[in-house]
Amino acid sequence: MTNLFQLFRRRPTANVARERLQILLAHERASVGQEGLVATLREEILQVIAKHVTLDRDKVQVKLEREGETSILEIEVEMPPVSRPRVAMTA
Amino acid sequence: MAKVVVVTSGKGGVGKTTSTAALGAALAQNGEKVVVVDFDVGLRNLDLVMGSERRVVFDMINVIQGDAKLSQALIRDKRLDNLSLLPASQTRDKDALTGEGVARVVAELRDKFDWILCDSPAGIERGATLAMHHADIAIVVTNPEVSSVRDSDRIIGLLDSKTAKAERGERIEKHLLLTRYDPVRAARGDMLKVEDVLEILSIPLLGIIPESQEVLRASNIGSPVTLSAPVSPPARAYTDAVKRLRGEKLEVAVPVERVGLVSRLFGRRVA
């Protein structure tokens, strides 16, 4: 009898499911998109640098970090020793 | 021209294999030449659901590695002679499934059949991406339940980025197949409604398969539900889904068991 009573008193849960999913997926879609963005940025940055400097691919780090509302794109490029510059002098 | 369809979901246990068997049989019942292909290497089950488990001699990996011809590996259905099965290997390593090998097999299947239905393994690993790679059309099987919807969303992202069509800059056709739907619980507010799932995933609806004991009864006896219980609600839902897949414009409704008060309440249009 108590169980039957509880059944009638129970609140619907589907709306909770819908809202949780909407929030979660908005977040996940953004972050999955950004994984691709970081890879693309890294690739294109590498190409630009490779035009001018011979570089080890592992010496370029691209990171996207999120804190609350803001995102910070961090690009770290370790350049080879200055003794052998190969900068094009076409200007 | 042959159409390659991947039946996928991300999450396991939502009804990919059952749906592949039922849709494949329903297409064949419509006179189409159909092959259902199991991509779940190591955990094959499409053979069992189709009732062909004792007739498997060669599998897709044997074909890829040149140990068997495609015609030797294909198993023709005993009930419908225009329906065939290409089983997955149960014993070989998953890595034996190569991108190049799959491409070759799919190309050969395109010459022989009108429809090639690829039953994807669960997950987002190589087996799943290989199953979807050559697809023209994707059927995303989803249960009205949070984890299934989330995983479907992830799979939709992969379909838009990892398939051959996506890589060529084309759009892959995607459809939602909502399975194990219970209109009574949805009306009570205890299950995500069709509209909720559609709003979240925003891909067109191919069909709603109601929760039904006929589905388990069908797999128990190794028969697609469209053959074992053709007038049951899930079979009618699969048959209608196939009509939509073939381009018919058909309103989506949840088929119900009996005509009466219940069907008047829940047989109404839902999308």
Side-chain angles (χ1 to χ4, degrees), chain A residues 13-14 18 22 24 28-29, chain B residues 150 153 189 191 196 199-200:
Chain A
T13 52
R18 188 187 60 231
Q22 281 168 334
L24 174 74
E28 283 189 347
R29 283 170 192 159
Chain B
R150 180 198 211 172
D153 191 76
M191 181 182 271
D196 294 338
E199 189 195 332
I200 293 167

Side-chain angles (χ1 to χ4, degrees), chain B:
Chain B
M1 209 175 93
K3 286 201 165 130
V4 180
V5 181
V6 62
V7 180
T8 185
S9 70
K11 191 177 184 303
V14 296
K16 282 182 297 298
T17 302
T18 307
S19 296
T20 304
L23 293 168
L27 277 166
Q29 285 167 291
N30 271 284
E32 306 269 1
K33 284 181 76 182
V34 184
V35 63
V36 289
V37 184
D38 196 341
F39 273 82
D40 205 344
V41 175
L43 290 170
R44 77 166 173 228
N45 274 317
L46 189 54
D47 55 332
L48 194 54
V49 171
M50 296 284 293
S52 305
E53 72 277 10
R54 293 169 65 179
R55 299 170 61 209
V56 177
V57 182
F58 296 111
D59 56 55
M60 177 153 53
I61 287 177
N62 293 137
V63 178
I64 286 176
Q65 298 188 336
D67 301 329
K69 285 190 203 144
L70 180 60
S71 55
Q72 292 176 293
L74 287 170
I75 302 167
R76 186 170 288 195
D77 192 87
K78 286 208 162 141
R79 297 148 297 207
L80 294 163
D81 66 2
N82 51 337
L83 175 63
S84 296
L85 161 73
L86 181 58
S89 173
Q90 184 70 337
T91 50
R92 305 293 270 276
D93 195 86
K94 308 202 270 296
D95 295 335
L97 206 61
T98 60
E100 186 268 330
V102 170
R104 227 172 343 107
V105 170
V106 171
E108 207 175 327
L109 289 172
R110 275 184 193 270
D111 290 336
K112 290 178 190 270
F113 296 95
D114 303 319
W115 293 86
I116 299 145
L117 264 59
C118 306
D119 182 20
S120 172
I124 53 172
E125 302 303 319
R126 226 168 59 92
T129 50
L130 278 174
M132 70 170 66
H133 194 260
H134 301 282
D136 304 303
I137 302 169
I139 296 176
V140 181
V141 182
T142 307
N143 289 169
E145 178 271 321
V146 285
S147 55
S148 173
V149 175
R150 180 198 211 172
D151 292 358
S152 292
D153 191 76
R154 189 75 197 276
I155 280 292
I156 290 169
L158 289 182
L159 288 166
D160 287 333
S161 59
K162 294 273 154 74
T163 52
K165 274 207 153 196
E167 284 167 3
R168 289 197 300 266
E170 296 166 30
R171 281 195 78 78
I172 179 164
E173 196 182 309
K174 300 179 291 286
H175 299 277
L176 177 71
L177 188 67
L178 195 61
T179 52
R180 308 201 69 165
Y181 190 68
D182 185 337
V184 177
R185 293 172 75 189
R188 208 164 56 206
D190 280 335
M191 181 182 271
L192 287 165
K193 289 191 172 64
V194 179
E195 304 89 271
D196 294 338
V197 182
L198 283 174
E199 189 195 332
I200 293 167
L201 295 179
S202 55
I203 57 171
L205 184 62
L206 184 70
I208 305 163
I209 314 302
E211 173 78 70
S212 165
Q213 54 184 6
E214 288 303 334
V215 173
L216 181 59
R217 286 171 51 85
S219 79
N220 285 344
I221 60 169
S223 167
V225 72
T226 52
L227 287 172
S228 64
V231 295
S232 67
R236 283 188 283 139
Y238 280 119
T239 303
D240 285 354
V242 153
K243 287 182 185 162
R244 287 180 206 106
L245 205 56
R246 298 173 79 214
E248 265 185 62
K249 297 272 175 275
L250 209 66
E251 277 171 4
V252 185
V254 189
V256 286
E257 206 76 51
R258 281 178 298 274
V259 184
L261 181 65
V262 179
S263 75
R264 256 181 269 149
L265 283 174
F266 299 113
R268 67 183 198 275
R269 278 188 284 129
V270 289

Side-chain angles (χ1 to χ4, degrees), chain A residues 43-59:
Chain A
E43 222 27 66
E44 292 188 7
I45 289 166
L46 270 166
Q47 283 173 21
V48 171
I49 297 173
K51 279 190 203 165
H52 306 288
V53 186
T54 313
L55 200 66
D56 186 345
R57 289 179 63 89
D58 298 334
K59 301 272 165 78

